[in-house]
Amino acid sequence: MSAAKSGFDMRLPPSLAAERHDHVAILRLARPQKRNALDDPTVDGIETFFTQLPETIKAVVLAGEGEHFCSGLDLGELTERNVAQGIAHSRNWHHAFERIEFGKTPVVAVLHGAVVGGGLEIAAACHVRVAEQSTYYALPEGSRGIFVGGGGSVRLTRLIGTSRMQDMMLTGRVYDAAEGQALGLSHYLVAPGAGLDKGLELARRIAGNAPMTNFAVTHVLPRIAESDPAAGYITEALISAIAQGDDEAKARLKAFLEKRAPKTVRH
Ligand code: 1HE
């Protein structure tokens, strides 16, 4: 483990590599010899990274080294655990992935190759997903005799629906990149090798937003979406007033009215 290698003042396991690009950080799953399988040190390192991210970082790109984004849970570790340890292990994944979903900054996942099992679960915890054409999605837990444990029952059912997730887990169905895009598993579908550039472009755009807006979108919007409508409307009124009241919003609105800000046009 080394702080120097990470480029950040934190200690990460060798299975993770972090680098800075101004206000954007890239975190790579860096264990390609095991297809970026998520072992305990890696999951703990992910929690450390997202918890200790410095204030100067405004968006993160999560990517994988080698031919695949992530082959999910490290199956080698699985045989060692009893029931109580299994529960603790799953809860550990929940805490780590919650640091992604409800952390300090928005996170863009760049996907390619296998995005399977826990790999799909970690991708689902990210806010924006870019998929290269090589991407495929599966939940092989069914065939391995296990169940999802990294929040997939909550996040994936929300993304693609309980019924599709049941099909994936019961039949071992594999969705290719185009199908994943149609289902909403990815937001952007790009050519082979183009994922990181696209991910960085999006992360830079996100990093340029007002921090209060990014906070509202990542922390408040999902809670509003899950609340009853009456609570949702009042929470929306409150957070929109908070965002508008921020100096950053006032400066941005003034810039637009004085014709100094870009218009909203077709890209
Ligand atoms: C692994 C893992 C792993 C590869 N844990 N070691 N996930 C899965 O069921 C997917 C399992 N993996 C695969 O199906 C394939 O490895 C891949 C399709 C992802 C890639 O295939 P390939 O031909 O490129 O690589 P490979 O030869 O299968 O694997 C290379 C090495 O990585 C090999 O080890 P080696 O020591 O023989 O070189 C593999 O054993 C190792 N490897 N994937 C451990 N996942 C919180 S609950 C979440 C539940 C789940 O995630 S279940 C889904 C688990």
Side-chain angles (χ1 to χ4, degrees):
M1 302 213 195
S2 111
K5 188 189 159 211
S6 78
F8 291 90
D9 189 18
M10 61 175 90
R11 296 181 75 77
L12 296 176
S15 55
L16 291 174
E19 61 190 76
R20 279 168 193 269
H21 291 249
D22 300 320
H23 294 300
V24 172
I26 301 180
L27 181 67
R28 291 173 208 267
L29 306 174
R31 204 178 164 223
Q33 69 281 12
K34 292 288 179 191
R35 306 312 184 249
N36 298 326
L38 298 171
D39 59 3
D40 288 346
T42 307
V43 173
D44 291 346
I46 288 167
E47 179 160 10
T48 299
F49 178 81
F50 284 99
T51 304
Q52 297 184 16
L53 207 57
E55 295 297 317
T56 49
I57 297 297
K58 305 295 183 195
V60 174
V61 173
L62 177 69
E65 287 184 1
E67 296 300 305
H68 301 281
F69 172 72
C70 177
S71 65
L73 173 73
D74 188 315
L75 295 170
E77 285 184 342
L78 198 64
T79 49
E80 319 278 314
R81 286 188 206 107
N82 62 28
V83 169
Q85 289 165 334
I87 293 171
H89 175 264
S90 171
R91 296 299 289 149
N92 201 40
W93 279 49
H94 292 162
H95 296 141
F97 292 4
E98 186 156 308
R99 300 310 303 154
I100 299 176
E101 187 178 12
F102 295 111
K104 296 176 178 177
T105 73
V107 182
V108 179
V110 173
L111 311 176
H112 72 292
V115 180
V116 303
L120 182 50
E121 292 184 281
I122 195 172
C126 300
H127 305 97
V128 177
R129 283 168 294 281
V130 176
E132 295 188 359
Q133 297 281 4
S134 62
T135 306
Y136 65 94
Y137 309 90
L139 292 171
E141 282 86 344
S143 66
R144 309 273 180 235
I146 55 177
F147 192 67
V148 288
S153 326
V154 175
R155 295 193 185 96
L156 287 170
T157 49
R158 213 160 50 193
L159 262 184
I160 60 170
T162 306
S163 176
R164 284 200 187 88
M165 185 168 169
Q166 285 178 322
D167 176 36
M168 289 178 84
M169 293 197 70
L170 291 172
T171 69
R173 181 177 190 145
V174 176
Y175 284 118
D176 67 20
E179 290 169 323
Q181 172 77 8
L183 287 179
L185 284 171
S186 65
H187 301 96
Y188 299 85
L189 184 56
V190 299
L196 199 61
D197 280 352
K198 184 68 184 177
L200 272 171
E201 175 204 322
L202 297 170
R204 288 197 181 103
R205 217 178 294 161
I206 290 167
N209 293 338
M212 187 58 78
T213 304
N214 282 350
F215 171 78
V217 171
T218 54
H219 285 248
V220 186
L221 179 62
R223 267 66 186 246
I224 293 176
E226 279 165 15
S227 51
D228 69 273
Y233 290 130
I234 190 68
T235 309
E236 179 186 274
L238 296 175
I239 192 64
S240 69
I242 290 168
Q244 276 166 41
D246 201 58
D247 288 347
E248 178 82 28
K250 291 197 168 69
R252 285 169 184 247
L253 297 174
K254 192 162 178 279
F256 176 77
L257 294 172
E258 292 172 358
K259 309 213 178 299
R260 291 183 284 109
K263 295 185 183 184
T264 303
V265 292
R266 205 163 24 173
H267 284 291

